[in-house]
Structure formats: structure tokens, C-alpha cells
Amino acid sequence: MASAAEQLASNLNFGAFAKADELKKRIWFTLGALIIYRLGTYIPLPGMNPDAVADLFKQSQTGVLGLFNMFSGGAVGRLAIFALAIMPYISASIIVQLLSSVIPTFEALKKEGEQGRKILNQYTRYLTLVLAVFQAYGIGVGLQGSGNLVLEPGPFFLLSTTITLVGGTMFLLWLGEQITSRGIGNGTSMIIFSGIIAEFPSQLAQTLELGRQGAISTGLLLLILVMAICVIAFCVFMERAQRRLLINYPKRQVGNRMYEGQTSFLPLKLNTAGVIPPIFASSLLLLPTTIASFSQASGGTGVLSVIATYLAHGRPLFMVLYAALIIFFCFFYTAIVFNPVETADNLKKHGGFMPGIRPGERTAEHIDRVLTRITVLGAGYLTIVCLIPEFMITYAQIPIILLGGTSLLIVVTTTMDTVAQVHGHLLAHQYEGLVKKAKLRGAKR
């Protein structure tokens, strides 16, 4: 840990940071955008009874509704205008990526490069709008039928709730795109990250209060703290883990000069899919249970209540589906972001080869075999980390969602990606400074 801290300190040259005006502008823009997002999580939906909303959330904060509240940064618990957060966008992204692997038209767009990616992103936005309308209307119906939650039920409330929630989701989608292009980090991940971080103090206070009341022993509190630190360290280690494949380049002659052969590595991350699988898995589990949670909390009966019961935190069905979806999306997303055939063709074009393996098809098969094996480890790692809070809720009776699993994984991966981007901007700034100095020296001569 000490060496990692020293390496991070050496990477972040604070002298260079003070001179990097473009980087500082990006950081300030990101902070401003996230502040706007946080303010929106405190603006309630029109026509709601705040006291009844607080009572509703107290009864179901450890269930699926609590997980939804984590991703929305507390907006669900306050039934704010950003209560849907960007979950419809994540669901739409899943559907579009699935279609791009099945439908030839979408697959062709994916291969067209930047232009095709823009068209697919536009389709994703349209689908996000459709899903947001569906979910917002369902939430409005669920709220209206939940007793005294709504002050004045009726068609006007349904219309205003649907428009407000859909508008909040589309605004967050636009805000995330602005953070990605004009700020630091991935906009979608930064919005989820900021929501989780904002809820940490209240979760910590809740945990300490349970200890003060005697519901949790001091030893168990210390165990939770140690486990959280161990999970963070484990996530950092696994996210940095790589399998390097040796690549050799033969000798080459340029003019009358003979250049020696070079050796490099093809790095394959243990967790190529990153934090996408748990987010996708959570969003798919949240989609059919959003309305069901409101129905169950208000004492509803029928199919919706049965769904909410069996898909509650800590239930065997929830954990099995959650683990299965994480494993599926690990392999699915890895297949999307990394193409062994394309990589093998690029190596062959540039004269690179792996020792003992013929270039071309054999190289692609070898890369695919290695990638599959390390993806098994990556999927197991993600599954274990994400199921930790489920076992805590089930067996230790600890109502904690933020201090384990998915939330810590999102925080760790987003932090590492953001630090890497900051480091990249600093290196680019230093390189530009060296180029300017070289030009000045050339002009003086």
C-alpha cells in the first residue's frame, strides 16, 4: 500500500497541476455539474406528502428500493425530480448493445467507427426516452395508489409526475455527456459515483447509531470497517491485475540499416468489463421491481408484492439472479470491447507474432482462450464483491447497502479511472510545454 501511495504521489506532479489551466477548467466544470445534480436530488416531485414519503422509505430502505436509492444519490428516498436517475439510460444501453450483437444492421453500424457509434448513441437516447416514460408513468400510478402519499391524486398528478421524472432523466443524460466531453471522467459513472459518496455519511451515522443502541456489537462494527478496507484493497489489486502476452517483432531493414527485433506485451486486464456488469445487473433487477416495491410498501397484494418479496435484498432468488447477470455481462461486455480476431490481424499486419503460435487464426484462438480464462476469474471476483452486502443483510441483519460490494466497486473503479485521466492530462500538458520550449530554442538559433 505504501508503494502504491508513493507511485500515485509521483504520478501527480502538483507543480505541473498548478500550471495545467485546461485541466483545472475541466475539474471545475465537473464539480459544478455534480453540484447541480446534487441540488436536483433535493427538489421534490410536485403534489407529494413529505411525511408519508419518509414513512414509506423507512419501511423499505433495505430492499430493492434502497438499492435504487443508492444509484440515485438519495433522490428516491426524497422522491425528487431525479428519482429515476440514469437507470433508463443504462437499461437502454444494455438493449442496444444486445441488438448490436444480434441484428446485422446494428452490427454494421458498430463497425463503422465514430459515425456508427454516434447513430447507435442516438438510438440509445430514443430508447431511454421510451423507457423513462414507461417507468415514470408506472411510478406515478404506484404513488397514486399508495394511500396518502399524493396530496391531490388524478390525471394532472400523473401527467406532471411523468413529465418531471422523464425530464430529470434526460437532463442527467445530457449532463453526463457534458461531463464526459468537457470535464474529467466518464459522465455516467461520475453521476453514480457522486450519489454514492453523498450517501456515505448518512449510512455511517446509521451504522454508528445501531451500535449505540446495542443492535450491533462493537466487535461487529470493527469487523465491518476492516472488511470495507479489505474490499477496497482487493478491488484495487484486481482492477490493476493484468495477463501480459509476449509479442515479438522480427528484425527489419530500412535502407542500408538493419534494426534489431523488438519485444513488447499485449496487456489483458483481469476485469476487462470494469464496473459495467454489476451496474447492468442491478438495473435489470430494478426495472421490473420499481413499481412492485411501492405496492409492497403500501400493503398491496398480488403479483407485484410477490415479485418485490422474492427480489428483496438477501433473498436467495435475488442473489442467484444477481450473480448470474453479473457473470453473463462480464463475458458479454468483454466480447464487445475486445475482439481477438481484430487484434490478431493488427499484429499480423505489423509483423508481430507470439512465440510458438502461428500468426492469424491461431493467434486469435490463443488470445480468445486466455481472455476467456481470465474473464472467469474477473467474473468470480465481481460476483464475490457484489454479494458481500447481501450476505451481511441476510445473516448479520445489518441494514447497510453502501458499505460493501457494488458501491465500493463503483467508487474504486471510478476513482482509478478519474486519476488515470488526470495523469493523462498532466502528461499531455508537460509534453506541450516541452514542444513549446523546443520551438523557442529553434527560433533563437
Side-chain angles (χ1 to χ4, degrees), residues 63-64 91 133 207 239 282 290 295 323 328 331 412 425 438:
V64 175
S91 301
V133 170
T207 306
E239 291 298 324
S282 300
T290 302
S295 175
F328 168 75
F331 285 92
V412 169
H425 282 288

Side-chain angles (χ1 to χ4, degrees), residues 29-331:
F29 179 86
T30 303
L31 291 176
L34 294 179
I35 289 174
I36 293 174
Y37 161 63
R38 291 303 305 160
L39 290 175
T41 61
Y42 287 91
I43 302 176
L45 289 171
M48 300 302 301
N49 184 347
D51 296 332
V53 169
D55 292 338
L56 166 69
F57 189 72
K58 283 181 181 178
Q59 299 172 9
S60 55
Q61 62 180 338
T62 60
V64 175
L65 195 61
L67 185 62
F68 203 174
N69 189 56
M70 178 190 74
F71 284 117
S72 66
V76 171
R78 294 181 285 270
L79 283 181
I81 60 175
F82 289 159
L84 271 184
I86 54 175
M87 291 299 107
Y89 172 71
I90 294 175
S91 301
S93 299
I94 297 171
I95 296 173
V96 171
Q97 289 183 5
L98 284 171
L99 292 178
S100 65
S101 301
V102 176
I103 300 179
T105 304
F106 282 76
E107 188 175 359
L109 286 174
K110 187 173 67 173
K111 295 180 179 178
E112 287 183 5
E114 184 66 20
Q115 188 61 31
R117 187 181 64 82
K118 289 182 180 179
I119 297 175
L120 288 177
N121 285 342
Q122 196 64 26
Y123 289 158
T124 305
R125 295 188 189 99
Y126 293 147
L127 186 56
T128 300
L129 180 61
V130 174
L131 293 177
V133 170
F134 170 76
Q135 293 185 48
Y137 180 78
I139 288 176
V141 172
L143 291 174
Q144 194 168 249
S146 299
N148 60 344
L149 282 178
V150 181
L151 296 176
E152 296 182 5
F156 180 76
F157 171 77
L158 286 178
L159 180 63
S160 63
T161 299
T162 303
I163 292 176
T164 303
L165 289 176
V166 172
T169 295
M170 300 311 292
F171 175 77
L172 286 183
L173 177 58
W174 174 83
L175 191 66
E177 292 176 349
Q178 295 302 308
I179 293 175
T180 301
S181 60
R182 301 172 59 184
I184 290 292
N186 179 276
T188 302
S189 299
M190 290 298 292
I191 288 175
I192 299 176
F193 167 83
S194 63
I196 294 173
I197 291 297
E199 291 298 300
F200 265 132
S202 62
Q203 283 283 312
L204 183 60
Q206 177 187 355
T207 306
L208 294 177
E209 179 63 20
L210 290 175
R212 188 185 68 82
Q213 296 174 357
I216 300 178
S217 64
T218 304
L220 187 56
L221 282 175
L222 293 176
L223 178 62
I224 293 172
L225 178 61
V226 172
M227 187 173 64
I229 296 174
C230 291
V231 169
I232 292 174
F234 181 58
C235 290
V236 172
F237 174 78
M238 296 298 284
E239 291 298 324
R240 295 179 66 90
Q242 294 179 347
R243 168 69 190 276
R244 295 185 175 185
L245 300 180
L246 180 63
I247 306 294
N248 287 336
Y249 292 92
K251 295 180 180 180
R252 58 192 179 94
Q253 185 173 357
V254 180
N256 295 326
R257 298 189 61 180
M258 179 67 72
Y259 290 88
E260 290 291 332
Q262 297 179 346
T263 299
S264 65
F265 295 94
L266 175 65
L268 299 178
K269 287 189 64 177
L270 187 68
N271 180 26
T272 306
V275 74
I276 296 299
I279 293 179
F280 277 12
S282 300
S283 65
L284 281 185
L285 288 176
L286 290 172
L287 184 61
T289 55
T290 302
I291 306 173
S293 297
F294 287 104
S295 175
Q296 185 192 34
S298 59
T301 58
V303 178
L304 292 180
S305 295
V306 172
I307 292 175
T309 300
Y310 280 99
L311 289 181
H313 268 287
R315 300 287 292 187
L317 180 60
F318 177 86
M319 290 192 283
V320 170
L321 289 178
Y322 195 28
L325 287 173
I326 289 174
I327 294 171
F328 168 75
F329 281 117
C330 276
F331 285 92

